[in-house]
Amino acid sequence: MSQVRICVDAMGGDHAPGIPVDGAIAAARELGIHVTLVGLEDEIRKRLRDGGGDGLPIDVVHAPEVVEMDEDVISALRKKRCSSIRVGTTLLKEGKVDGFVSAGNTGAVMATAKMVAGTIDGVDRPALATIVPTLTGHAVLIDVGANVNCKPHHLEQFAIMGSIYAREILAVKNPRVGLMSVGEEEGKGNELTKEVFKVLKDADLNFVGNAEGRDVYAGKMDVIVCDGFTGNVILKVSESLIDAAVNLLRGEIEKGLLYRIGYIMARPAFRQFKKRLDYSEYGGAPLLGIKGVCLICHGRSPAKAIKNAVRVAGEFAQMRIADRIRTEIEKTFKKETTK
């Protein structure tokens, strides 16, 4: 993937610039990706020297301002025009990098990417997508926080973008699309889901109907569509449940010698289980619908997550996912206007 150049926000995250720089070093060393680090140059270069980054395909672009993790989004957009987020998305818009990765203030990254890079023609609202593990593999959950209030055509666009993600990145030939609701029947749900059901049923998608909460991890669907409010709740509950399950299991193992011996015997299985649930394996959540590639990571992301986000950003750039989304959206728009 050496032909792509990915920009990493070195000032984004709970442990910046250390973790983002370490992740960039790992991506450059292990994946051969050219990384551009943007942020406070002196701090970045010191971390690069300390982390053994000399000689790797990494360059640094200075950005004198930092958007704090809890900073007001509107204030950051108006007052910090030289922030690492703004500079990074500007590099993306100008074509100087092929993708942008940040573990910074999620709202600020989304708003800046939309404003600076712009949205694909026909996409009203970019959406955040994430990969969730299922009993049969993986599924795409979209939207997980970018759009709290939605209209039916927004979710139709999410479904199209999620299908492209599943097809191109997860290699699912004909992704099964489900609509998150409170029952399997067509008439179940609120006014929004009832209207969206009608739209998706007529769309050029492999729509398989409503999805209930129990279907998220069942593997019956490859793409699960919802508004950002619902998706974010699902995501946060899932993360806390995974953490609770791991801690409860650890507590049980520590209760007795036989349990500890059993754990030792089953350690490979536990490691694989933990790996499947580890969000850092997937890097970050792509913001689908903007002109270019933008991945947003957890603020507490470890270096491994940043490295994998750089990898995924490179894959998105190589596969020209944004162009594919534009083509599919245009096709849908033309079909609807000729009805």
Side-chain angles (χ1 to χ4, degrees):
M1 248 190 264
S2 56
Q3 66 270 35
V4 298
R5 183 188 296 261
I6 304 300
C7 178
V8 174
D9 175 13
M11 312 314 296
D14 296 340
H15 303 289
I19 293 299
V21 174
D22 290 348
I25 291 172
R29 179 182 292 127
E30 299 172 24
L31 306 175
I33 296 178
H34 193 126
V35 179
T36 296
L37 286 164
V38 60
L40 301 177
E41 185 172 4
D42 290 344
E43 294 186 24
I44 294 172
R45 292 197 181 280
K46 181 180 184 306
R47 186 71 179 197
L48 278 172
R49 289 192 299 270
D50 295 343
D54 293 338
L56 293 173
I58 299 175
D59 57 20
V60 180
V61 173
H62 181 58
E65 297 177 318
V66 177
V67 176
E68 302 299 333
M69 295 298 286
D70 58 351
E71 191 168 345
D72 177 70
V73 173
I74 301 301
S75 176
L77 286 173
R78 290 177 178 174
K79 298 179 180 179
K80 294 187 174 179
R81 297 180 179 272
C82 294
S83 70
S84 56
I85 295 173
R86 185 70 169 263
V87 172
T89 51
T90 299
L91 292 174
L92 179 64
K93 178 186 178 182
E94 294 174 348
K96 295 178 179 177
V97 297
D98 301 297
F100 178 64
V101 172
S102 178
N105 183 310
T106 300
V109 176
M110 289 192 298
T112 306
K114 183 177 180 180
M115 180 181 69
V116 176
T119 57
I120 294 170
D121 292 341
V123 174
D124 294 290
R125 297 184 183 182
L128 276 174
T130 192
I131 299 294
V132 295
T134 71
L135 295 177
T136 58
H138 300 89
V140 176
L141 180 65
I142 182 171
D143 177 30
V144 293
N147 306 280
V148 174
N149 297 306
C150 298
K151 294 181 179 179
H153 70 278
H154 295 146
L155 270 73
E156 180 185 16
Q157 293 172 7
F158 299 168
I160 293 169
M161 295 190 291
S163 292
I164 294 171
Y165 186 4
R167 189 170 67 239
E168 302 300 332
I169 302 300
L170 299 184
V172 180
K173 289 185 178 180
N174 189 23
R176 298 162 296 175
V177 178
L179 173 65
M180 181 55 61
S181 188
V182 294
E184 295 180 352
E185 299 82 5
E186 179 175 349
K188 290 292 183 70
N190 55 23
E191 292 303 315
L192 175 64
T193 55
K194 290 176 184 177
E195 287 299 316
V196 175
F197 192 103
K198 297 175 184 177
V199 172
L200 294 184
K201 190 166 63 171
D202 293 333
D204 188 18
L205 295 165
N206 184 16
F207 180 57
V208 296
N210 283 339
E212 296 183 273
R214 64 188 178 188
D215 296 321
V216 174
Y217 303 101
K220 297 177 181 179
M221 300 167 186
D222 305 297
V223 180
I224 299 175
V225 181
C226 54
D227 60 78
F229 181 92
T230 303
N232 193 259
V233 170
I234 293 172
L235 183 64
K236 295 296 175 59
V237 169
S238 300
E239 290 172 352
S240 64
L241 181 60
I242 290 169
D243 289 341
V246 170
N247 288 326
L248 287 171
L249 182 59
R250 183 182 294 114
E252 291 298 320
I253 291 171
E254 293 173 352
K255 283 184 177 180
L257 179 60
L258 288 177
Y259 291 162
R260 288 195 289 272
I261 293 173
Y263 167 71
I264 293 172
M265 298 292 289
R267 186 175 294 173
F270 281 113
R271 285 176 179 167
Q272 188 61 28
F273 172 73
K274 184 178 181 181
K275 183 177 181 180
R276 287 198 65 189
L277 300 180
D278 186 2
Y279 70 85
S280 67
E281 292 289 335
Y282 314 110
L287 183 62
L288 301 179
I290 68 163
K291 295 177 180 177
V293 178
C294 177
L295 262 76
I296 302 177
C297 307
H298 282 283
R300 64 177 187 274
S301 290
K304 178 183 178 182
I306 302 298
K307 180 195 75 173
N308 283 326
V310 171
R311 172 182 57 78
V312 173
E315 292 173 354
F316 267 66
Q318 287 186 317
M319 294 181 179
R320 304 183 69 85
I321 298 297
D323 290 342
R324 294 173 186 268
I325 289 174
R326 176 178 52 78
T327 300
E328 292 295 328
I329 292 292
E330 286 179 354
K331 187 193 304 181
T332 300
F333 179 74
K334 288 178 182 179
K335 179 181 176 182
E336 291 178 349
T337 54
T338 55
K339 286 182 179 179

